[in-house]
Structure formats: structure tokens, C-alpha cells
Amino acid sequence: MENNLEKYAELLVRTGINIQEDQILVITSPIECADFARLASIKAYESGAKEVVIRWIDEQSSKIRFDMAKDQVFDEFPEWIKTMLEGYAKKGAAFLSIAASDPELMKDVDPKKMSRQQKVMSQGLEAYRTRMMNNQNVWCVASIPTVAWAKKVFPGGTEKEALDKLWEAIYKAVRVDRPDPVAAWEEHQQNLNRRLDFLNNHHFKALRYKNAAGTDLVLALPENHRWVGGGDQGPHGKVFFANMPTEEVFTMPKADGVDGTVVSSMPLNYNGNLIEDFRFTFSKGKVVDFDARQGKEVLKELLDTDDGAKRLGEIALVPYDSPISNQKILFYNTLFDENASCHFALGKAYPSCIKGGDELSKEALKNEGANDSLTHVDFMIGTEDLSIVGITEKDEEVPVFEQGNFVNF
Ligand code: ZN
Ligand code: ZN
């Protein structure tokens, strides 16, 4: 276990972030994960980091604040957070974030309060987030078990048992259980590249999704779309992995080119709330109808963020038969669940999904068909019977997915 912890910290710093000599590393970490954050900072210093800055998060305090602070604070943006994040970003810092929230901590918080807070934060941090989404800075999101999260995933047994099980599942997902994780990630990238080549070479103009749960929709793809996945090129041309794990290849649909209904296949942990058994109906790209068995109010708040929150910004393909999916664990954490399942995201599209998109202005991206929004929220739709057909420019139909898996791989 101890050995794996070292390997994991090293993997995140060297392969995930790919820290460079004299670079600053900003780690955002829950206080429960302090030991790991310290270990990661040691690994970063050993790899040449100039300085490691740790931004501690305490979700229990956030909950107390939601319950007890004066109402107007949820419409106020704390400037210091912008100064801090943008300041380091402009200095070329890399950002490692540890995502480990308690999936249900905020379930009794007024969803309106949360969405007001979310909105001012997204507005205030828009420039920072744009830098990340354009790969102007290197970033990586990864997870460390916490007791509350582990107990939600593995409810039976003791806290220690739950933690151990979640560690094991995470190590498997990020290939730390392999003798040489770095080599395993290189091989993984090769496999993703074969899928990317297949999709990019076909240059589909649309995809049609269908399954027995009721998903039946067509998504048009922008003329200049590209499929990406695995590592991204950072500002200095060095490869980094924005998510660890990552199993997806993804692109963007046309913001006004989605028609039909999509049904969720897993619960969505959104801001400490679970949204379950939900569906959206789209017309000309926009959600015109939606429902959820649980969390409908929270979902409504999400959709009401802005116009772009009612449209899709990402389409991602993950085989039903793949490493995380095969663990058959519901993680209640989007980083893991999205990499176990085909998914879409409501909200902002990644500019890198358009050829040369990282260099384009907001307006130019819009003209290419990219959706823009203050938000970007992934939700899972993959099932074991999902079929996806690609439609080429000559209107030929090419099977991409059958029975939940890539046809060719
Ligand atoms: Zn994704
Ligand atoms: Zn996403």
C-alpha cells in the first residue's frame, strides 16, 4: 500500500502534471487528503518544482457556511480567489486538484443558494477556467479516498474496509497496480490513439445514438471538429493528462445540432447532490423537456445557469467493456463514473475539439459551432446495449458502437 501511494503521487506529478523545472504547482486538496497532498508536494519538489502552494478545501465548513452565513454572501464573489488562481496561472503554474467530495453532504442545502454561489464563482473565475480549457496552463484532476465518500461507495463494513476498497479501485483505475504505471499509461495512450484515428479519419458529420432505455438522438458535429483523448499538449508542448483516470475519447457536437432524447445511465453527483434517473429532450440543440426521479430541482438550477447550460458541449465515448466499467462500481464521483461510461456534458465545449480552437476567439468558436456557458457538467449515458452510428459526408452509415462497445476495437 505504502509503495502504491508513492507510485501514485509520482504518477500524478510526473505523468499527469508533467511538472517542469522551476514551475510552480498549485494543489487544491480537501483537508482529509492532507497526507497525500504533502506527499505529492515532496514529489513535485524532487522533480524540480520551484514552489508548491496548497489551497485547502474543507467541505464541512462550506456546509456550515451554506447553512448559516447571511444570504447575500451567495451572490458575492470573493476576489481573493481570483487573484490567487489567476495570479499563479499567469506565472505559468500547474494545477493539481484532488476531487473527493462527499456525494450527499449538500443534499439539504437550498439548491437556489448553491446555484447562485456557483454562478458568481463561475463568472468570477471565467478567465482562469478559460485558460485551463484552452490548455494555456497544465492541470490534472485526480482523487483520493475520504471516509464519507468511501462509505457511500462501499456502505457495508467498517470505515477502514471502505477506504481500503476505494483505494484499491482507484489504484486499478489509474494503473498504479501495474509494475510500471508510467509505461502502462504510454500503452494506454497508444490504444486511445487508434480510436482517435478511426474517428478523425471518418470525419463524421453526425452520430446517431440508440438504446432500450429510451435514448434516441442525433448529434451533428461541427465541420472542423476533432476527437481528442488521453494526453493534451501543454503550453510548452509537453504532454499532460488533465484527468487521471481517463478512458474517454471526446469531441463537441454543434451547439444547435442535437435532436432527440437521452436517458441517464448513472446518478450524477452535482455539488454534493445526487440527481438520479433523469432524461433530456433536445430540439435544435436546446433542452426543451427534462425529468428526474430525484434531484429535479437541482437539475433545473443547473439548466438555468445560462443559455449554454441547456446545450451540449461534449460527447465522449467509453466502451462498456473497459477497465473502470468492468470494476462494476458506482463511484458517485464524475471523474470515475464518466470514465466508465459514454457521456455527454451540458455547457461549455473544449476549444481543443475544434482544429486550431485553442487560438480562436469566443466569437470564432461560436461560428465553428462550439457551445459556450459558465458551466460544464458531464453526465453518463452509456449502457451495455448502446449503439452509435456515424454518418459520413456522403450519407454513408458506419457502425461506431454496437452492444455498448466500439465495433472495431
Ligand atoms: Zn468527458
Ligand atoms: Zn467533461
Side-chain angles (χ1 to χ4, degrees):
M1 271 309 233
E2 213 38 44
N3 186 23
N4 277 350
L5 204 62
E6 295 255 337
K7 274 160 70 181
Y8 188 28
E10 255 172 42
L11 182 73
L12 293 183
V13 168
R14 299 210 180 130
T15 302
I17 288 291
N18 196 352
I19 194 87
Q20 300 295 304
E21 187 70 31
D22 281 334
Q23 195 173 21
I24 299 169
L25 175 63
V26 178
I27 302 178
T28 298
S29 170
I31 52 174
E32 289 93 336
C33 309
D35 286 345
F36 187 83
R38 291 181 197 118
L39 181 60
S41 74
I42 291 169
K43 296 295 172 194
Y45 282 124
E46 286 173 357
S47 307
K50 180 181 172 190
E51 186 187 7
V52 179
V53 179
I54 304 195
R55 185 177 158 233
W56 299 109
I57 303 290
D58 176 24
E59 57 180 359
Q60 298 285 346
S61 304
S62 305
K63 168 78 162 65
I64 293 168
R65 181 171 169 276
F66 270 121
D67 289 341
M68 302 186 72
K70 303 287 184 208
D71 190 64
Q72 71 266 25
V73 305
F74 303 106
D75 297 316
E76 290 167 5
F77 175 70
E79 279 293 327
W80 64 270
I81 296 182
K82 178 184 164 90
T83 307
M84 190 255 176
L85 292 174
E86 258 181 51
Y88 283 117
K90 284 178 187 157
K91 286 184 176 176
F95 294 83
L96 174 63
S97 301
I98 298 176
S101 72
D102 176 345
E104 294 192 286
L105 183 68
M106 304 294 180
K107 70 176 176 210
D108 300 323
V109 173
D110 175 9
K112 285 223 157 55
K113 252 188 209 176
M114 295 200 70
S115 68
R116 283 160 55 205
Q117 169 88 92
Q118 187 75 27
K119 197 164 182 172
V120 287
M121 289 299 278
S122 305
Q123 282 166 343
L125 295 178
E126 198 185 358
Y128 165 76
R129 288 193 51 216
T130 300
R131 288 185 71 100
M132 299 303 127
M133 286 185 90
N134 286 351
N135 298 330
Q136 280 173 279
N137 286 83
V138 165
W139 54 287
C140 177
V141 183
S143 287
I144 302 298
T146 59
V147 171
W149 176 27
K151 286 294 284 177
K152 176 72 188 172
V153 182
F154 301 105
T158 65
E159 286 181 355
K160 167 135 191 353
E161 282 163 0
L163 281 171
D164 286 349
K165 279 186 189 162
L166 189 52
W167 268 119
E168 201 189 314
I170 290 176
Y171 284 149
K172 230 186 237 176
V174 296
R175 298 171 166 78
V176 162
D177 63 335
R178 314 278 177 92
D180 184 349
V182 174
W185 274 82
E186 278 162 16
E187 189 195 321
H188 177 42
Q189 183 69 60
Q190 302 298 322
N191 292 333
L192 291 175
N193 287 346
R194 283 188 296 123
R195 293 172 185 165
L196 293 174
D197 289 345
F198 168 81
L199 292 160
N200 284 323
N201 291 340
H202 275 93
H203 194 252
F204 294 120
K205 68 172 184 184
L207 298 177
R208 191 172 64 231
Y209 282 59
K210 252 186 193 161
N211 71 8
T215 292
D216 187 355
L217 88 169
V218 175
L219 306 108
L221 303 180
E223 166 69 25
N224 292 318
H225 77 274
R226 61 191 271 265
W227 290 86
V228 295
D232 281 312
Q233 293 276 335
H236 308 304
K238 306 271 197 254
V239 174
F240 71 100
F241 287 83
N243 286 351
M244 277 192 149
T246 183
E247 298 292 330
E248 62 182 293
V249 294
F250 64 100
T251 190
M252 66 168 81
K254 271 189 185 170
D256 60 359
V258 182
D259 289 277
T261 294
V262 64
V263 179
S264 71
S265 60
M266 286 187 206
L268 170 63
N269 171 8
Y270 178 65
N271 287 342
N273 280 273
L274 281 182
I275 307 170
E276 295 191 62
D277 296 332
F278 54 101
R279 58 171 63 222
F280 301 110
T281 299
F282 293 88
S283 171
K284 296 197 175 86
K286 198 165 175 174
V287 172
V288 289
D289 191 26
F290 71 100
D291 201 6
R293 186 176 55 77
Q294 186 190 313
K296 191 171 176 184
E297 259 319 291
V298 180
L299 194 55
K300 183 177 184 308
E301 289 299 324
L302 164 60
L303 292 168
D304 285 343
T305 307
D306 52 24
D307 179 70
K310 297 176 195 68
R311 299 172 186 274
L312 296 182
E314 177 189 336
I315 317 173
L317 303 180
V318 181
Y320 193 77
D321 177 12
S322 63
I324 302 177
S325 173
N326 287 339
Q327 291 198 50
K328 300 282 176 246
I329 296 168
L330 186 56
F331 284 89
Y332 299 100
N333 175 323
T334 301
L335 177 62
F336 289 81
D337 292 333
E338 73 170 320
N339 283 302
S341 171
C342 282
H343 57 270
F344 293 155
L346 290 166
K348 186 174 167 69
Y350 283 96
S352 56
C353 295
I354 292 286
K355 285 171 201 143
D358 286 344
E359 313 292 325
L360 294 180
S361 68
K362 246 181 174 204
E363 208 46 45
L365 282 167
K366 199 176 165 191
N367 292 336
E368 292 284 349
N371 189 32
D372 190 26
S373 169
L374 289 171
T375 196
H376 176 102
V377 178
D378 293 65
F379 61 96
M380 285 56 80
I381 58 140
T383 53
E384 90 191 280
D385 69 334
L386 180 66
S387 79
I388 304 172
V389 174
I391 300 158
T392 67
E393 257 136 51
K394 290 177 183 153
D395 283 320
E396 284 157 348
E397 301 204 345
V398 179
V400 177
F401 258 54
E402 269 168 16
Q403 298 299 320
N405 291 305
F406 276 104
V407 171
N408 297 299
F409 314 101

